[in-house]
Each structure stands twice: as structure tokens, then as C-alpha cells.
């Protein structure tokens, strides 16, 4: 299973970006999906998560500005980021909890995307 994240870039404060993360491979089903971020010198932190039922939760620092969503037909999770601040600058990683189908069996594992850099600066 591979997760491919995209959509990062340079944006001015107050601007918007949408990140995408598509999962591919021997996927039986995808459970929870999430976005994490890691700024230089900081630990990786959870930004937003979404369950199979669509329940979401957000870090306090992004509530009201970021929206996580998923398209199960495309095995893709999105992060719409509005009103971006310099403090949002980080490498953003997607994570998926996947039931993998291989060799006639199904097992559960977690996978990370490669990260996409978001820089908020004027």
C-alpha cells in the first residue's frame, strides 16, 4: 500500500491550500484517515482525522480554518486549509489505517505518505 500526498506549496498569510492524499495497492478497506504535520525542530502533531463514518476531529490550533474530508471511491483524503498563518508552516503527512488484502488473507496496518511541504510566508 502506498500513500501519495500532493498539494503543498508557498502561500501568503491568509491564503488557502488543499492537500490530497491518495492510497493505492492491495487495499481491502480503509478505516481512519488523518493529516499530521511536523515543523522544523518540533514533534509531529495530529492536525485532523476522519473516521469511516465521517466523524472528524481537529487540533485546537486549526479548528474553524481547516476541513478534512474523504472520498472512499477514490481512496483519497483531503485537507482544505483556509486563513493560513505562518505557524502552519510544516511538512504535512497523511496517514491511513488500512485493511490490506494479500495472499488470500486480510490484515490491518497503518501507512504514511511521503509528506508535502506547506510554507506560509509573505
Amino acid at each position: 500500500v502506498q500513500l501519495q500526498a500532493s498539494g503543498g506549496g508557498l502561500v501568503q498569510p491568509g491564503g488557502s491550500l488543499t492537500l490530497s492524499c491518495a492510497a493505492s495497492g492491495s487495499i481491502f478497506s480503509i478505516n481512519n484517515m488523518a493529516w499530521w504535520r511536523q515543523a522544523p525542530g518540533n514533534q509531529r502533531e495530529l492536525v485532523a482525522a476522519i473516521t469511516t463514518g465521517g466523524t472528524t476531529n481537529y487540533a485546537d490550533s486549526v479548528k474553524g480554518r481547516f476541513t478534512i474530508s474523504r472520498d472512499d471511491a477514490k481512496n483519497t483524503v483531503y485537507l482544505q486549509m483556509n486563513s493560513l498563518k505562518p505557524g502552519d508552516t510544516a511538512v504535512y503527512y497523511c496517514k491511513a489505517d488500512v485493511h490490506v488484502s494479500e495472499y488470500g488473507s486480510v490484515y490491518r496496518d497503518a501507512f504514511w505518505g511521503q509528506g508535502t511541504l506547506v510554507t506560509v510566508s509573505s
Side-chain angles (χ1 to χ4, degrees):
V1 175
Q2 299 84 37
L3 271 61
Q4 181 68 45
S6 61
L10 173 64
V11 62
Q12 292 187 341
S16 299
L17 278 177
T18 299
L19 306 182
S20 300
C21 176
S24 62
S26 302
I27 298 170
F28 180 79
S29 64
I30 300 178
N31 305 306
N32 297 342
M33 305 182 83
W35 286 97
W36 293 66
R37 68 185 181 187
Q38 187 167 19
N42 290 356
Q43 291 186 330
R44 194 172 294 190
E45 63 173 355
L46 178 65
V47 176
I50 185 168
T51 69
T52 51
T55 300
T56 58
N57 68 280
Y58 297 92
D60 287 343
S61 59
V62 306
K63 281 182 181 176
R65 300 188 298 121
F66 290 12
T67 302
I68 188 171
S69 61
R70 61 190 287 169
D71 184 338
D72 289 333
K74 297 181 180 180
N75 289 335
T76 299
V77 62
Y78 305 95
L79 186 68
Q80 173 68 44
M81 305 184 293
N82 298 325
S83 303
L84 283 161
K85 305 174 181 179
D88 296 317
T89 295
V91 177
Y92 284 70
Y93 299 90
C94 54
K95 182 181 181 183
D97 180 20
V98 180
H99 277 104
V100 181
S101 175
E102 282 187 342
Y103 311 116
S105 65
V106 176
Y107 63 91
R108 189 169 180 171
D109 203 350
F111 297 87
W112 290 89
Q114 84 285 6
T116 184
L117 176 63
V118 173
T119 303
V120 184
S121 175
S122 54

